[in-house]
Amino acid sequence: MAAGRIFVVAGIGTGTGTGAAAAREFSKAGYRVALIARNQDHLKRAADSLVSSGGEAEPFPIPDYAPNSVKSAFDAIKSRWPDAPLRTALWNAGASHFKPFLELTDDDVRQSLDTNVVAAFAFARESILAFRKQDVDEHGRRGALLFTSATAATRGNVNTAVMAASKFGLRALSQSLAKEFGKEDIHVATALIDGQILNERTTAIKGEEWANDETLRLSPEAIAKTYLWLAHQHRSAWTWELDLRPAHEKW
């Protein structure tokens, strides 16, 4: 049973996308949910929603995704639930800049690399340090570290130079960690999101007709169910990488 175990997710946006959906899915499975993000209002709203549905959740706001800020969030989670094991951690934060190469600024490059690579390193480090202190559970794992990634992690394209560069780095990090820590019964997995996810922002851009057609966009709830499945895979058959796309994707 998952009761008492912790699920931590970094990056919930406005609370209408993948991070918040994953929080709900793991909460329904009995996990205590730790929410990490920069917007305190969105964090509180997401946590309150989980609690009102009968779950146990806490917001852990941070000013930025600098390594020290990420570490402080993990320290706060440990203080909040000192005796509960951290079993699943999801890195769902990201920074995307879709621009022609010559229009990219130094700040664009720095923000993309800092969020998609540097901060992901810090999140992975804190997660793995926590996992290593724990015994294996009924799934044969000490913990599961999941990354939300993108098609840009495997191929560059027009206007994706900085995103592809940083997502390639995230994919390399994930693959390296899977190889290094699998032997310690720590499961590392990456989901390549190949398409646009239904959320408040994409609906405003694409319109209601698009939002209502589930063949054209990814459902955050469906992604969340895949994450729970990944986290509970037995160690005799672990997935490192998978891709998720809507049925009628055109990318």
Side-chain angles (χ1 to χ4, degrees):
M1 297 293 291
R5 302 178 184 183
I6 300 170
F7 168 68
V8 58
V9 53
I12 63 163
T14 61
T16 63
T18 303
R24 291 190 295 271
E25 192 67 25
F26 278 83
S27 180
K28 287 189 293 184
Y31 284 76
R32 296 171 174 174
V33 177
L35 300 159
I36 299 175
R38 291 170 293 185
N39 189 299
Q40 294 191 37
D41 292 338
H42 294 159
L43 272 179
K44 185 178 185 306
R45 185 163 60 246
D48 288 347
S49 176
L50 293 173
V51 172
S52 67
S53 298
E56 186 173 356
E58 290 286 345
F60 296 91
I62 54 177
D64 50 46
Y65 284 115
N68 285 341
S69 298
V70 173
K71 184 180 185 305
S72 70
F74 274 82
D75 289 343
I77 293 167
K78 182 63 176 176
S79 295
R80 174 64 182 84
W81 294 303
D83 299 320
L86 171 61
R87 288 300 186 186
T88 307
L90 169 61
W91 177 253
N92 188 65
S96 303
H97 299 282
F98 296 96
K99 294 180 181 180
F101 175 73
L102 295 178
E103 293 181 14
L104 290 168
T105 67
D106 291 344
D107 284 342
D108 293 336
V109 176
R110 187 176 301 106
Q111 182 184 30
S112 187
L113 291 172
D114 281 350
T115 304
N116 295 321
V117 180
V118 178
F121 262 82
F123 184 85
R125 180 185 299 113
E126 297 303 321
S127 299
I128 290 171
L129 285 172
F131 295 156
R132 294 180 85 184
K133 298 175 182 178
Q134 302 166 172
D135 294 330
V136 298
D137 65 6
E138 71 274 20
H139 303 292
R141 52 147 198 181
R142 298 183 192 279
L145 173 60
L146 311 178
F147 294 95
T148 298
S149 191
T151 309
T154 62
R155 70 172 189 263
N157 209 331
V158 176
N159 295 338
T160 69
V162 70
M163 181 179 181
S166 59
K167 292 296 187 182
F168 264 68
L170 180 64
R171 183 172 186 257
L173 169 65
S174 170
Q175 187 175 42
S176 299
L177 296 178
K179 293 290 188 180
E180 182 174 353
F181 292 101
K183 65 188 72 172
E184 296 186 34
D185 301 310
I186 294 172
H187 183 192
V188 180
T190 293
L192 303 179
I193 306 302
D194 189 13
Q196 292 184 300
I197 301 170
L198 177 67
N199 57 41
E200 186 177 77
R201 180 182 61 82
T202 54
T203 297
I205 295 171
K206 303 288 288 187
E208 291 297 329
E209 183 176 353
W210 172 86
N212 292 330
D213 189 343
E214 65 180 14
T215 69
L216 298 178
R217 80 298 186 280
L218 289 113
S219 160
E221 289 74 23
I223 296 172
K225 291 181 185 300
T226 301
Y227 285 164
L228 184 62
W229 171 75
L230 281 172
H232 288 176
Q233 285 183 318
H234 192 270
R235 61 182 168 183
S236 66
W238 274 350
T239 296
W240 163 56
E241 182 177 76
L242 54 73
D243 58 353
L244 301 172
R245 63 173 60 86
H248 296 185
E249 64 90 16
K250 299 177 181 179
W251 289 39

